[in-house]
Amino acid sequence: MILKSIFIKSLVFLFLAFTIQRTTAQERKKNEVPLAVLLDKISNDHQIFFTYNANLILNKYIQTKGFTDLSLKASISLLEKLTPFLFDDLGNSYYVIYLKKVRNKNKVLSKEKATSSNSVGIDTLFKGAIITVRGIVLSSDNTPLIGATLQEKESLAGTTTNLDGTFEFEIQKENKVVVSFLAHNTKILKLNSDTFHTIVLISGQELDEVQVVGSRNKNRAANDTPVAIDFIEVAGTASESSQVEINQFLQYAIPSFNASKQSGADGADHIDPATIRGLGPDQTLVLVNGKRRHQTSLINLYGTRGRGNSGTDLNAIPISAIKRIELLRDGASAQYGSDAIAGVLNIVLKDTDNELSVTSTLGFNNADSEAVFPNSVDGFTYKFGLNYGAKINKGGFINFSSEILSSAHTLRPGSSAREKFGQAAVKNASIFLNAEIPVHTNTKLYANGGFNIKNTAAFAFTRKPNSKRNVKEIYPTGFNPLITSNIIDNSLSLGVLTYFKGWSIDLNNAVGRNNFQYFIKNTLNATLKENSPTEFDAGGHQLIQNTTSIDFSKYFTEKTFGFNIALGSEYRFDSYKIFSGEEASYGAYDVNGDVVDSKTPVSDYSTYNGQIVPGGSQGFPGYSPENEVDRNRSNFSIYVDTEIDFSKKFMMGAAARFEYYSDFGSTLNYKLAARYRLSKKLNVRSSFSTGFRAPSLVQVYYNLTFTNFIGDNPSESLLVANNSPIARRFGIENLKEEKARNFSFGFVAKMGAFNATLDAYYVAVKDRIILSGNFDASGLDIGVDNVQFFANGVDTKTTGLDLVLNWNKKMEHSELTLNLSGNINYMSITEIKNKNLDEETFFGERDRQFLLASAPKNKFNFGVHYQYKKLKTSLNFTRFSSVQLIDWQIAEDLSRFNNSEMERLEAATDFYAPKITTDLHFSYQLNPTINLQIGANNLLNIYPTKQYSYTDSGGLWDATQMGTNGSFYYTKLNIKLQ
């Protein structure tokens, strides 16, 4: 900021040096100097900045006697006594200079006669007369905006501001003026000739003032929105966090956001599923800079949160590239389309220029789950992040980010079924860019996107030595298959934003691709006996989404009210593929070494102790040509979104959206919202909306034969594609959209240093898509034990409460902040749509608990943040509610439980008690460039309640609450160069 101030002062000084006429010393009294020279001296002495029209002080001289060793306040007071000017303190060390009086309000002012009034005066000139208007245009941090555009609304005649942010031009007396500047809100004002106008444009970069998500009104302040929005300023929050990935970062920043590291969950070990308010990972829409981001090609299947859902891989976006994260906690399908049932997560990318930021993080986990202080460590983590911005033309920029992350395995106590239980190892590299290029006064091109490659490795369940799934000649003591992946995630968003006659017009195309390929290592194909390879290419899947949109927005001002109208259209094309792996990864071979098919005699099958040996790579069987899919669909939508400010106290919003999908038809949704200002300190807000989520291509077409562990017992299962004849034989219909109704009601209070929000919500989802249980397939003669499928299986109802409290106290050399935020959530299943199928098999008690556990009953965060000069410290407590799951004992024979279903259910119920974790962070600013941070997450090494050997994960815990990695200790070095 100081460098920027000196730079601006230098420009102004040079400008004055070439514009102020030189006068010889002999023509002036002794000690009399140009006023500009004295102002520059005061500016340098007191680190302030004067802004004014250069012509205003042209040929103005002043005695320097009396200004020696004066304080700033005394200097300003003396200047006002000796000159005809007022010195208006704008804050942030900026002073505007203008004349004290208006000599004649009924005449056009000369350049020397600008007045000091900040109020809107009344001109008595007749209608249609030409008047001259003057003023200054500032950003909301009081920085003069150089090159801001002022246009007469009717004639489009206008001007741009000078180097000091001032302007002067002629307009028709009754016409309004449009004031605009890139990356700032646009204002439409009525200017008059007898006022020096101070016009402040709110910067789109401001965290607490302007937001993108939830409202298309660029003039809407965050506290005035009719719905709940969380703002996470990444740079500030990162100094209070040890997290190296976005999902875990948000897990502790937003109580209603939940993302636990999975283990033993196949693909979900590699891409973390995340939920908001306990709804599905695919029921939250993710945007980047306000534009839809693509989802992953992975669908969560085995032993994981969000079973049967696909989500968005947030961890593919480097934290170094993110400026802030906005979370709209309200249904928004009518505004943004499919997937916005739970809300909208908008990632705003960095837009800094002429700044280099470098971050290096080194950390590790406590490997001892029983000890507070580590006896051994694992999970070594290293991350290096870089962000650099440069200017492009006038008002443009390009911002580049790069990140490298390496995180090693963690290993924790497992059950008899799994020796290697723990978090997957990850190697992640990404680059991201964000750019804006002005091409005209009111037009800019913009682009953002990136490339991410992730290599991961997760251990599967143990294959025991004496089993049909092992070959002793290769693994005499058994083995632990290693599921590795190569995940490529890239995206590109291109657009043009322009302003025409007050309309904001945004044309954009965003394309994204997620390619997920499996490589299985430390494994074998048991049907190949001792000739089996130990590594396989198992194939994978790919999803491409391309979205083209055009949006129009304009704010209209009337005498008694104002309103914003936004409308637009969107066309999206989705393409989904499953590609097969090498033959040995999926094939079963007979005793002659030939691939088993329908013509193979049973006598030729490979057997072990009389049992047929399963083919394919152990740990994860590859995709075969029969699994291959190449499908696409398109959808078209139009929407209208309005907000009306009936008065300063009351506003309403309404939105409607029509969408047509090529594969299942059309849907129409709407939203109503309102905010009423009870006082200057208290707002009340409410909304009601309908919503939907289209079934994903993955849910419609995904199919795979895989090994499903039911307790310690493996079985071969086939996940049937929804469009398969097998699904029809079980009465499963074509998937249709999920439908939702959302209602919210809340309060926003702001009283000095204290801020509070309280929002209650209700979300009812009909025809929610679920993954069914395992049905007996022995009579189908398809070579598997069980089949399961996707279906519109349940209706759910979710009610809850979000609370955010914040108090901040600034003192002379220190600052204290207290934060308390929490989420109370309750989900119930109101109907199971099993039709003629057995309910317990279709969606039994165990599956129901999986779904309900994705909505924790509550989570609270309490933080104490204190800063003294260069030292910052942060102490955070997170309380996780209890969780209840049903383990695999539910599938055991009743005879083991005295033939009592109640006793079996009680034995199978895993209860995880409430837990509190503690995070402690210290940060010290060594100098203006270097910051050092150290700390610990989960300082006291808290784990979920220990269970037994029937968990889905194969460990002593499932993926609940704070996860199963224990304490994480870290050090972080931050370097910032300007």
Side-chain angles (χ1 to χ4, degrees), residues 444-472:
K444 65 179 178 182
L445 301 176
Y446 63 87
N448 63 74
F451 178 85
N452 173 267
I453 183 167
K454 185 188 303 184
N455 293 315
T456 60
F459 287 105
F461 279 62
T462 300
R463 267 52 177 181
K464 297 179 179 180
N466 297 312
S467 78
K468 63 182 179 180
R469 299 174 185 277
N470 182 42
V471 177
K472 279 194 171 184

Side-chain angles (χ1 to χ4, degrees), residues 264-266 300-304 307 461 706-710 888 952:
D266 289 347
N300 301 313
L301 297 176
Y302 181 76
T304 182
R307 297 181 73 206
F461 279 62
F706 62 100
T707 303
N708 192 10
F709 273 79
I710 301 175
W888 279 117
D952 272 88

Side-chain angles (χ1 to χ4, degrees), residues 45 52 80 127 138 182 284 317 352 361 411 425 462 488 518 610 646 715 726 734 806 820 844 895 922 949 963:
D45 289 345
Y52 48 87
E80 290 186 331
K127 184 177 181 179
L138 304 172
L182 287 177
T284 297
I317 304 174
T352 55
T361 303
L411 294 177
T462 300
I488 297 175
Y518 292 93
F646 291 100
S715 63
I726 297 176
N734 290 329
N806 175 270
L820 173 64
S895 60
F922 295 95
S949 60

Side-chain angles (χ1 to χ4, degrees), residues 340-352:
I341 289 177
V344 180
L345 188 75
N346 183 42
I347 295 173
V348 181
L349 301 175
K350 286 183 179 178
D351 53 7
T352 55

Side-chain angles (χ1 to χ4, degrees), residues 465-712:
N466 297 312
S467 78
K468 63 182 179 180
R469 299 174 185 277
N470 182 42
V471 177
K472 279 194 171 184
E473 288 81 357
I474 300 178
Y475 299 110
T477 59
F479 64 99
N480 295 284
L482 190 64
I483 304 174
T484 74
S485 69
N486 187 338
I487 307 170
I488 297 175
D489 197 291
N490 44 28
S491 63
L492 179 63
S493 175
L494 297 171
V496 57
L497 177 64
T498 187
Y499 295 91
F500 180 72
K501 294 187 176 181
W503 284 93
S504 169
I505 305 172
D506 189 352
L507 177 64
N508 174 268
N509 188 84
V511 61
R513 178 178 75 110
N514 178 269
N515 190 93
F516 194 125
Q517 187 165 6
Y518 292 93
F519 296 92
I520 316 304
K521 300 179 180 181
N522 194 45
T523 186
L524 52 73
N525 184 326
T527 62
L528 287 173
K529 306 298 183 183
E530 64 273 12
N531 297 318
S532 173
T534 57
E535 295 186 8
F536 300 91
D537 174 359
H541 31 76
Q542 174 182 273
L543 179 68
I544 297 175
Q545 292 181 312
N546 188 87
T547 305
T548 304
S549 63
I550 185 167
D551 302 279
F552 303 86
S553 178
K554 184 176 182 179
Y555 190 82
F556 296 85
T557 304
E558 301 298 332
K559 291 183 178 179
T560 58
F561 70 95
F563 67 95
N564 191 85
I565 184 168
L567 56 128
S569 179
E570 183 178 277
Y571 176 80
R572 189 165 76 251
F573 179 83
D574 297 350
S575 175
Y576 176 64
K577 291 182 179 180
I578 295 178
F579 49 92
S580 60
E582 60 181 287
E583 182 182 82
S585 74
Y586 59 82
Y589 296 85
D590 64 17
V591 294
N592 301 310
D594 298 322
V595 177
V596 172
D597 57 26
S598 59
K599 298 178 181 179
T600 304
V602 175
S603 59
D604 286 349
Y605 278 43
S606 296
T607 60
Y608 176 85
N609 290 340
Q611 296 179 314
I612 296 176
V613 175
S617 49
Q618 289 297 310
F620 187 92
Y623 294 98
S624 72
E626 287 75 20
N627 298 130
E628 287 189 337
V629 166
D630 188 356
R631 296 281 186 162
N632 59 68
R633 75 167 175 210
S634 62
N635 81 291
F636 172 79
S637 64
I638 55 175
Y639 76 88
V640 60
D641 187 356
T642 64
E643 289 184 2
I644 304 175
D645 293 290
F646 291 100
S647 67
K648 290 184 178 180
K649 289 188 174 182
F650 180 59
M651 65 79 58
M652 284 192 67
R657 189 182 191 96
F658 172 82
E659 295 217 17
Y660 175 78
Y661 282 78
S662 60
D663 56 350
F664 76 84
S666 61
T667 179
L668 177 65
N669 293 275
Y670 65 89
K671 181 173 184 175
L672 298 172
R675 183 267 302 152
Y676 185 77
R677 184 170 297 162
L678 296 174
S679 69
K680 291 183 179 180
K681 298 179 180 180
L682 182 63
N683 289 350
V684 60
R685 60 193 183 189
S686 183
S687 71
F688 176 80
S689 64
T690 63
F692 80 103
R693 190 193 71 82
S696 67
L697 288 179
V698 189
Q699 289 173 322
V700 177
Y701 297 111
Y702 186 84
N703 68 103
L704 175 67
T705 301
F706 62 100
T707 303
N708 192 10
F709 273 79
I710 301 175
D712 289 349

